[in-house]
Amino acid sequence: MLRQVIITGANGFVGSNIVAACLAAGFDVAAVDLSFDNPAYAQPALENLRLIESDCVNMPPVTADALIHAAFVTATPEERGESPELNLRANLEPLLAVLEYAQRQRIARVICVSSAAVHSGTTDTLVYESLAPRPLGVYGVAKTLMEHTVETMRQVHGRDCLCVRPGSIYGPFEFIRSTRPRLSAIARMMQSALVAGEIYVDRPQERIEWTFAPDIGRALVALLKSDSLNYALYQLASGEHVSNLAVARMIQRALPGLTLRVNQPEAGSAQADGRPRILDTERLRQDTGFRDWTKMSPATLKRTCDSIARALGDA
């Protein structure tokens, strides 16, 4: 079984939760990022955790059984002040560098973190891995190219590599950085709650399939522990659809004293009747048995809020 894993983008929101899950599962982890200012790393150093300050193109030689590539840029060309071509290159060049690195280091399995952004232009509400991507925006295009590249490496060149495609994620250790300048809707609600003592709910009936970030890490652990996998792509999502108003009310229960300000759209409007997108996860269940998704609750939201409060306090 794989026991040593390299995780790129380890300082980020998704990456830090993957690191935590792998450490909890007993893996030796080499965490790679340009810096480590995430509060997730404020704890005392662990024997099975090594922090490596490096970009993906110049990683030092590390012995490992597996590599999880979670380094990516979600910022738009406009947010980064660059051309679309440069923005696309910011995601594709690290991907190619990581795949080449894994070959040089004889790393057995590579898992690349994609995104539901590959379906940003899709009108289907039920999305299977076999549905052809329809990205809108440079980030979605980059993730689509990632998925196609990894599938080619697997099917044509016989490499043990695959992609995972998470949906909307919330959880601890989400904070703004240059490569990810926009917080999730839940994190924005919490930031408003902590700073202003109120939450403004603009689209109260809109339902989103939210997945708790630590579950993404645990699903990846299940993929690492599987001796053989049948596909180049697995979707990761809880299957739980929660309205914006329900999220706000749970935050209110987690943080008593908050004021909710709700904008009620007219009945029959698109805002009132929005249909949630569903990511099918049957492949993951069949190949790994993983189905242990955490239900959203005031407790999970309080845990999320505590880490955001800590990040605000450190700012």
Side-chain angles (χ1 to χ4, degrees):
M1 184 173 66
L2 308 177
R3 300 310 306 172
Q4 298 172 308
V5 60
I6 300 169
I7 301 172
T8 67
N11 190 55
F13 171 38
V14 176
S16 61
N17 279 280
I18 296 172
V19 168
C22 288
L23 291 172
F27 286 90
D28 292 329
V29 175
V32 179
D33 214 315
L34 294 175
S35 63
F36 289 92
D37 57 354
N38 191 317
Y41 298 100
Q43 61 188 3
L46 300 174
E47 288 186 3
N48 59 334
L49 173 63
R50 176 185 175 188
L51 303 183
I52 300 173
E53 294 190 351
S54 171
D55 60 26
C56 293
V57 177
N58 299 295
M59 286 193 294
V62 175
T63 299
D65 303 305
L67 187 153
I68 298 174
H69 180 47
F72 42 84
V73 175
T74 63
T76 65
E78 293 74 20
E79 288 168 335
R80 282 169 61 91
E82 62 190 11
S83 69
E85 292 85 356
L86 282 175
N87 192 263
L88 188 61
R89 189 174 291 127
N91 277 313
L92 294 184
E93 287 185 349
L95 167 67
L96 297 176
V98 161
L99 292 173
E100 290 175 332
Y101 177 89
Q103 282 296 102
R104 289 197 307 271
Q105 296 301 118
R106 301 183 182 276
I107 294 172
R109 179 169 294 171
V110 177
I111 303 178
C112 298
V113 180
S114 184
S115 168
V118 302
H119 285 299
S120 52
T122 299
T123 57
D124 301 62
T125 55
L126 179 57
V127 175
Y128 297 94
E129 288 93 342
S130 57
L131 182 67
R134 283 195 60 193
L136 290 175
V138 175
Y139 179 65
V141 169
K143 290 301 188 181
T144 300
L145 291 172
M146 167 188 278
E147 291 183 4
H148 288 323
T149 299
V150 168
E151 183 174 21
T152 297
M153 294 299 180
R154 185 179 184 86
Q155 302 296 342
V156 178
H157 300 284
R159 299 187 190 178
D160 186 359
C161 57
L162 58 137
C163 282
V164 295
R165 183 193 289 165
S168 298
I169 307 171
Y170 79 100
F173 306 124
E174 180 180 5
F175 70 109
I176 290 174
R177 53 196 309 210
S178 62
T179 54
R180 191 177 189 274
R182 283 164 280 109
L183 295 171
S184 67
I186 286 180
R188 292 197 301 271
M189 284 187 190
M190 290 180 172
Q191 195 168 62
S192 174
L194 292 166
V195 174
E198 65 179 26
I199 301 175
Y200 180 73
V201 187
D202 186 37
R203 302 170 67 94
Q205 302 310 317
E206 179 184 52
R207 292 186 296 143
I208 296 173
E209 185 177 24
W210 286 107
T211 301
F212 195 41
D215 291 350
I216 299 298
R218 294 191 303 111
L220 279 162
V221 167
L223 288 163
L224 288 175
K225 288 184 174 181
S226 296
D227 291 333
S228 61
L229 297 167
N230 295 312
Y231 300 98
L233 175 64
Y234 294 85
Q235 295 185 148
L236 310 182
S238 69
E240 181 184 20
H241 297 83
V242 188
S243 73
N244 292 337
L245 182 57
V247 171
R249 285 175 173 163
M250 278 191 273
I251 296 173
Q252 191 178 38
R253 290 200 295 275
L255 302 173
L258 288 178
T259 300
L260 296 189
R261 302 189 183 280
V262 182
N263 175 24
Q264 293 289 357
E266 296 181 3
S269 70
Q271 287 192 40
D273 302 330
R275 299 169 62 193
R277 177 170 295 160
I278 302 167
L279 295 182
D280 182 82
T281 58
E282 184 61 17
R283 273 188 187 179
L284 179 72
R285 188 194 66 78
Q286 289 182 349
D287 278 13
T288 69
F290 185 86
R291 59 193 306 172
D292 185 22
W293 303 103
T294 304
K295 185 176 178 62
M296 184 183 290
S297 68
T300 62
L301 292 168
K302 180 65 164 59
R303 181 176 167 188
T304 302
C305 196
D306 287 346
S307 73
I308 291 174
R310 184 174 178 180
L312 286 172
D314 292 340

